Amino acid sequence: MPVVAGPARSNARDMQHILILMSDTGGGHRASAQALKAGFDERYPRRFHIDIIDLLSDYLAWPLNQVPKAYPFLSNDAPWLWKLLYGGGGHRLSRVLARLGGRMSVKRVGACFDAFQPDLIISVHPLMQHVSMLALARLARRIPYVTVVTDLSTCHPLWFHPAVDATYVASDHSCALARQAGLDASRLHLFGLPIRPAFARPTRARPELRRSLEMDQELPAVLLVGGGEGVGPVEEIATQVALRLANGGAPVGQLVVICGRNKAMRERLAARRWPVPAFINGFVDNMPEWMAACDCIVTKAGPGTIAEALISGLPIILSGFIPGQEEGNVPYVLDNGVGEYCADPAGIAAIVARWFGEERAHLDAMAAKARAMGHPQATFQIVDSIVALLEAE
Ligand code: UDP
């Protein structure tokens, strides 16, 4: 049996221990894990000790521990290969790979669970269920296990395992997919995506917010983001949008760009002179404030950003998507009438100009629809439901 590092929790003897399984394939799984941890800490202070682990990178053997490292290349530079691995043969290829990986890893995962001795396990990653169920079946002690799906609409079938105690999904479509995969309705819950608790709190009034962010009080504002890593053609979009909103020297809008961890892009954009009021940021910790201060958002189809934009009442222009897991987010936005899809930077600029101009009433109507679709309390509802499950043990 491999030797596995356990938790450091000498001061946590009176607390119940929750182990959250995630992996850094994209930023969303860690963000959801952290949102849940924050939800437990806020709702049930000092009752739970929570460890978040990257099961793939830190506990599995080669080549499975290389998956998180390969993910940025696969999703951004070789989307055809990612599409094949994700959905090839009607998802048969990924199922076979997961089964193989599960067999290779079951001892290591069992040793990990033994070392942590959790009272409950939460998975926020599609590759955890199969191997965890194999490992748990070999343990002497029963450990309740729940899955929190971090995809918004379309979900890979590997998310769903009928043996888990509860599965939390974010949309009707995901719910239907889970039922098709054989999950019992009594173990299936629809609350929304686990978003950090800051989005559940009311923000300051817009004039005050804009003053503190040093934005123009009157001009409508468009927010440009490219996920946590600042990926995609954010720079080209910013250029085109600014040009269009400049309106020949009488600006009809202002621009906020959030470059995330893409420092090079932030430096390039910050060094430029802009024809409209422009606010160029690196990674920000106050996303709820920037969203509340703006009138619409341009983003890739990341589930976290979409869910946060809906809560904030921001109509959405989707500028691209990662094949596979983000694909279904496009019809989710379009069919619900809360935005448009456009991959061309000049086309995006034209949409923003329309929304801030002759289609202002349409923009306001979409904002109201977005707000009605948002689930600001989802994290707390998920946390409460998990605690109820633990109490019923
Ligand atoms: N984010 C943030 N600060 C930044 C950029 C992004 O807090 O400067 C957050 C954003 O609010 C969202 C997450 O990063 O919660 C991005 O998640 P998404 O699912 O949209 O994309 P990913 O980066 O996971 O592909």
Side-chain angles (χ1 to χ4, degrees), residues 5-24:
R9 53 180 160 124
S10 54
N11 60 347
R13 287 202 184 85
D14 301 333
M15 296 167 131
Q16 284 186 293
H17 180 218
I18 293 176
L19 181 62
I20 304 187
L21 310 179
M22 62 99 207
S23 185
D24 279 321

Side-chain angles (χ1 to χ4, degrees), residues 156-290:
H156 195 284
L158 285 173
W159 274 109
F160 305 123
H161 197 298
V164 309
D165 293 289
T167 299
Y168 297 89
V169 292
S171 66
D172 290 327
H173 187 63
S174 314
C175 209
L177 292 174
R179 296 284 286 136
Q180 273 169 31
L183 263 65
D184 197 282
S186 64
R187 295 181 176 199
L188 196 52
H189 309 275
L190 198 176
F191 292 128
L193 220 61
I195 293 301
R196 71 194 109 152
F199 277 93
R201 288 188 272 276
T203 49
R204 289 178 285 166
R206 186 176 272 196
E208 196 191 330
L209 257 184
R210 283 196 168 187
R211 203 171 309 118
S212 73
L213 297 170
E214 298 178 358
M215 292 173 70
D216 185 278
Q217 283 293 346
E218 306 302 328
L219 289 173
V222 51
L223 177 63
L224 261 57
V225 292
E229 302 307 315
V231 294
V234 177
E235 236 167 316
E236 294 86 326
I237 297 169
T239 306
Q240 292 294 330
V241 169
L243 204 65
R244 192 79 187 224
L245 294 181
N247 189 34
V252 289
Q254 54 187 326
L255 181 67
V256 176
V257 188
I258 293 180
C259 303
R261 294 184 192 86
N262 190 339
K263 282 192 185 140
M265 179 165 78
R266 189 188 70 80
E267 277 164 21
R268 280 196 303 274
L269 291 182
R272 274 169 49 179
R273 285 171 67 88
W274 294 91
V276 294
F279 305 85
I280 312 297
N281 299 281
F283 192 90
V284 302
D285 289 322
N286 59 342
M287 191 62 95
E289 293 195 336
W290 286 108

